[in-house]
Amino acid sequence: MSSDVSSENSFLLMKKWIQTCMTDHDLCRKTQKKRGGPARLIDVHALGSSESDDICLVETWTPNADWVALSHCWGGSSPVCTTSDTLDSFFLGIKIDQVPQTFRDTMTITRRLGFRYVWIDSLCIIQNRESDWLRESAKMQDIYGHAVLTVIAECSPNSHVGIFNSTNQFRREIVVYRPQIRAFSKTHNIEGLLRSRKPLDQPFHTSLDDRSPVSKRAWTLQEEILSPRRLRFAEQRMYWSCSQACATEATPDFLCPCISDIDRLWRLGTADRVVDISYVQNTSLDIDLNSWYAIVDEFVFRKVSYEQDRLAAIAALAKQVGRTDYAAGLWISDIRRGLAWSVDGANAERTSVYVAPSWSWASIDFSCSTHSTQSIYGDCRGGVLHDCDHVDGYDADLLDFSLSHTSDDYFVTTCGGFLEMFGNSLIICDCILPNTVFDIRPVSHNLFNGLILNQDVLRGDYDVYLCFHGEASNHRHMTLFQIGAWRSHPDWKESYQGIYILALVLYKVDDDRNEYRRVGIVAMREDNDILAEEWERRAFKII
């Protein structure tokens, strides 16, 4: 293995991978037919020529043209961007020395692999024109899903370090040219030098928990999942993966089938059938919602530069689920399970700008959490509603819902909305709530109109003593609202057997309009004393 990932041998291997995939892989060829594409591309045909080294932005391009897409991390500083002021000049040309190194390397890869066009977000979207951003960000399933190849700058922390440099600095540490041993084969009548190197520490499929710069960024999750062909430049070597196979420099011949950690996110709950993630957009295949919740579990802990982009950064994946009842990260047809998210153990905060209603996980900024393996749907409050036996009599009914959007694409943005639900409720003031998780840490927030919420761990990890200071008539009460119940799984320990009721913790924010916000979630066993109270069936409007 060469110490330089941009060597001629490295590019010969890249060409072999992509040519074999495009000609021999039946699954991959099915994704070739394009339905649409980006409004702009970067033309790199002159790159490296004797006449000019300039590149240019193009708005008119052949519909059947292939483009390479870049998945990367912006880092702390913004790369060169197309704006209303630079748009016209970028159509005429962009000096290559004005472009950051990661972009240059992507253009070099594109050109040397025989392609003419490349798509890079900061250059192909007009960054200061909201209408253009909304229109183009809604096309991610086409931009990445129909790209001939997606180049993933896995370990480049920003656009200035570069793809080749960030990989090469690790390769040079592991490539060792001494000791050398002269070897001779009588059988094949050849001789040469055997060179040793340190072993590669990185496994073929990097765990999501390793958190490379790219895997910390929210947008890159859907970019990778949607891409039919992926060329990843990781810390020590190149990786190839596509719909049908995978390979590395250490194992250059294709291995099949290829199921990476990213692929598994789509395949959860689909053990009886093979799901080709890159072919989903061209079929009516109904992805199991278990896969969606697994995607959300991975997505929420990634960072976005702008909080209002959170829903947009997962919108293309939501569209692949093949349902029309999407509501700010949840699905109306599966609303009770959708509401069963929790922020257990995470140092989460409400987003500083409005992103979604309080009943949606998108209203919480999970990215400040240090718990990289934290799951908001995978614990007992989420999974059991699907995995265990449902118990009648506790379900909340959805009466109405409404969402407002700032664009025509309701997957991308939400600017307001509510759920109106009918079910069992209990006003609480001074009590012990069992197995309770608040959406944000109440001890550090003035959540309740100037009143203090005291949280003490009394027994177990989650029992909470809830007490408002002052006379009951002088403050708003909190309310428990049951959304469903289940019977414990037979495999659970005997001490955990029983029926469990899941309830949202709601706080009344508007007396006149009878509006509530979600502030937490409670899991109660049927024999808990609080269930002996007089619960009232009524309707709630949750905003």
Side-chain angles (χ1 to χ4, degrees):
M1 187 176 69
S2 169
S3 62
D4 185 2
V5 75
S6 63
S7 67
E8 184 62 30
N9 286 338
S10 295
F11 270 92
L12 288 174
L13 182 58
M14 295 182 219
K15 290 178 181 178
K16 173 188 173 184
W17 284 339
I18 195 166
Q19 289 171 358
T20 301
C21 176
M22 295 180 72
T23 57
D24 297 345
H25 292 175
D26 293 337
L27 284 176
C28 301
R29 285 204 305 270
K30 293 177 182 178
T31 68
Q32 304 271 144
K33 187 177 180 180
K34 300 179 179 64
R35 295 181 304 171
R40 302 167 203 90
L41 289 169
I42 303 162
D43 189 343
V44 300
H45 79 283
L47 188 62
S49 67
S50 57
E51 299 177 1
S52 171
D53 220 14
D54 291 353
I55 57 174
C56 66
L57 197 64
V58 293
E59 205 163 31
T60 55
W61 45 279
T62 306
N64 293 325
D66 292 320
W67 66 86
V68 172
L70 172 65
S71 179
H72 69 113
C73 181
W74 281 41
S77 59
S78 298
V80 61
C81 295
T82 296
T83 66
S84 301
D85 296 330
T86 62
L87 181 63
D88 290 340
S89 64
F90 282 5
F91 282 138
L92 297 176
I94 306 172
K95 294 292 183 183
I96 192 64
D97 57 8
Q98 296 177 347
V99 176
Q101 192 62 49
T102 297
F103 293 5
R104 289 190 222 179
D105 291 347
T106 305
M107 295 170 187
T108 298
I109 293 168
T110 301
R111 184 70 173 143
R112 290 181 67 177
L113 290 181
F115 302 109
R116 178 168 182 170
Y117 300 106
V118 62
W119 188 90
I120 300 175
D121 48 8
S122 66
L123 289 176
C124 296
I125 299 176
I126 305 173
Q127 297 296 315
N128 65 343
R129 188 178 294 174
E130 184 179 11
S131 59
D132 191 72
W133 185 91
L134 289 171
R135 181 172 57 252
E136 294 304 296
S137 64
K139 296 179 180 178
M140 292 298 117
Q141 72 271 27
D142 289 331
I143 293 172
Y144 285 92
H146 296 144
V148 68
L149 175 70
T150 294
V151 173
I152 301 175
E154 179 76 32
C155 57
S156 181
N158 55 55
S159 59
H160 302 286
V161 173
I163 295 175
F164 301 143
N165 287 337
S166 59
T167 297
N168 284 343
Q169 74 177 39
F170 294 97
R171 291 165 73 94
R172 287 166 184 152
E173 293 175 3
I174 63 172
V175 176
V176 180
Y177 291 104
R178 284 180 173 81
Q180 297 180 357
I181 303 173
R182 182 168 296 278
F184 177 77
S185 172
K186 294 182 178 180
T187 303
H188 300 286
N189 194 29
I190 58 174
E191 65 177 314
L193 291 176
L194 291 178
R195 294 172 175 174
S196 61
R197 60 166 172 78
K198 296 178 182 179
L200 295 174
D201 296 328
Q202 195 169 8
F204 179 78
H205 294 300
T206 303
S207 169
L208 292 173
D209 295 334
D210 289 346
R211 298 297 172 190
S212 66
V214 161
S215 68
K216 293 177 182 177
R217 185 171 176 249
W219 284 95
T220 59
L221 181 62
Q222 67 177 12
E223 292 168 4
E224 181 169 359
I225 290 178
L226 293 169
S227 300
R229 301 181 185 89
R230 300 170 289 242
L231 182 61
R232 176 186 285 102
F233 290 84
E235 286 186 352
Q236 296 176 341
R237 51 182 168 175
M238 294 186 301
Y239 299 86
W240 169 275
S241 60
C242 59
S243 300
Q244 189 163 320
C246 53
T248 72
E249 290 174 275
T251 55
D253 294 331
F254 284 123
L255 303 174
C256 185
C258 175
I259 303 179
S260 67
D261 289 339
I262 289 291
D263 296 334
R264 286 192 183 95
L265 292 177
W266 270 131
R267 296 171 187 239
L268 287 179
T270 58
D272 295 332
R273 53 196 170 96
V274 175
V275 178
D276 170 25
I277 61 172
S278 61
Y279 188 50
V280 168
Q281 62 264 34
N282 294 323
T283 72
S284 58
L285 182 62
D286 181 22
I287 298 298
D288 192 297
L289 281 180
N290 279 347
S291 299
W292 170 254
Y293 295 119
I295 289 285
V296 172
D297 271 339
E298 163 61 23
F299 173 81
V300 293
F301 294 100
R302 295 180 173 224
K303 298 180 184 296
V304 289
S305 299
Y306 305 100
E307 288 182 322
Q308 59 268 28
D309 295 353
R310 188 160 295 278
L311 285 174
I314 199 173
L317 292 178
K319 293 174 183 178
Q320 304 310 312
V321 176
R323 297 169 181 257
T324 59
D325 59 334
Y326 187 69
L330 279 62
W331 303 93
I332 294 301
S333 57
D334 197 32
I335 192 62
R336 286 187 289 273
R337 184 158 59 133
L339 291 170
W341 56 269
S342 67
V343 295
D344 175 21
N347 298 318
E349 301 285 349
R350 289 281 181 195
T351 54
S352 59
V353 297
Y354 187 91
V355 176
S358 66
W359 41 263
S360 169
W361 51 261
S363 67
I364 303 292
D365 178 9
F366 296 89
S367 64
C368 56
S369 170
T370 57
H371 299 265
S372 62
T373 59
Q374 178 65 34
S375 169
I376 69 168
Y377 276 115
D379 63 8
C380 67
R381 279 165 292 281
V384 293
L385 293 180
H386 177 75
D387 299 333
C388 299
D389 292 336
H390 176 262
V391 178
D392 293 330
Y394 298 95
D395 286 350
D397 297 321
L398 181 66
L399 302 179
D400 192 14
F401 80 96
S402 177
L403 287 171
S404 302
H405 307 280
T406 56
S407 72
D408 294 336
D409 191 333
Y410 64 90
F411 285 90
V412 174
T413 60
T414 298
C415 59
F418 68 85
L419 292 176
E420 187 174 1
M421 304 188 74
F422 184 84
N424 298 327
S425 66
L426 177 68
I427 295 176
I428 53 177
C429 178
D430 187 350
C431 65
I432 294 176
L433 297 181
N435 203 26
T436 301
V437 180
F438 288 101
D439 295 344
I440 55 179
R441 295 191 302 168
V443 293
S444 62
H445 287 268
N446 185 13
L447 287 176
F448 309 113
N449 196 25
L451 298 173
I452 299 174
L453 177 66
N454 289 336
Q455 176 175 329
D456 298 311
V457 178
L458 298 183
R459 53 180 190 268
D461 292 331
Y462 307 106
D463 286 2
V464 171
Y465 176 56
L466 182 70
C467 178
F468 285 99
H469 292 283
E471 296 294 328
S473 59
N474 294 332
H475 63 75
R476 294 171 180 162
H477 298 265
M478 299 181 74
T479 300
L480 295 183
F481 180 67
Q482 297 176 12
I483 59 173
W486 69 94
R487 191 179 306 279
S488 56
H489 195 279
D491 293 340
W492 290 9
K493 293 180 180 179
E494 184 176 351
S495 58
Y496 293 150
Q497 293 297 317
I499 294 175
Y500 288 81
I501 295 92
L502 195 69
L504 301 182
V505 184
L506 303 179
Y507 174 67
K508 195 171 187 179
V509 294
D510 193 313
D511 288 323
D512 295 333
R513 291 188 291 182
N514 196 35
E515 292 180 341
Y516 290 77
R517 281 198 183 100
R518 170 188 161 141
V519 294
I521 192 166
V522 179
M524 302 168 287
R525 211 157 78 164
E526 189 182 34
D527 57 1
N528 191 277
D529 293 342
I530 198 170
L531 290 171
E533 302 286 342
E534 294 185 7
W535 291 66
E536 177 187 5
R537 289 189 64 80
R538 52 167 295 196
F540 287 85
K541 185 177 183 180
I542 311 172
I543 60 174

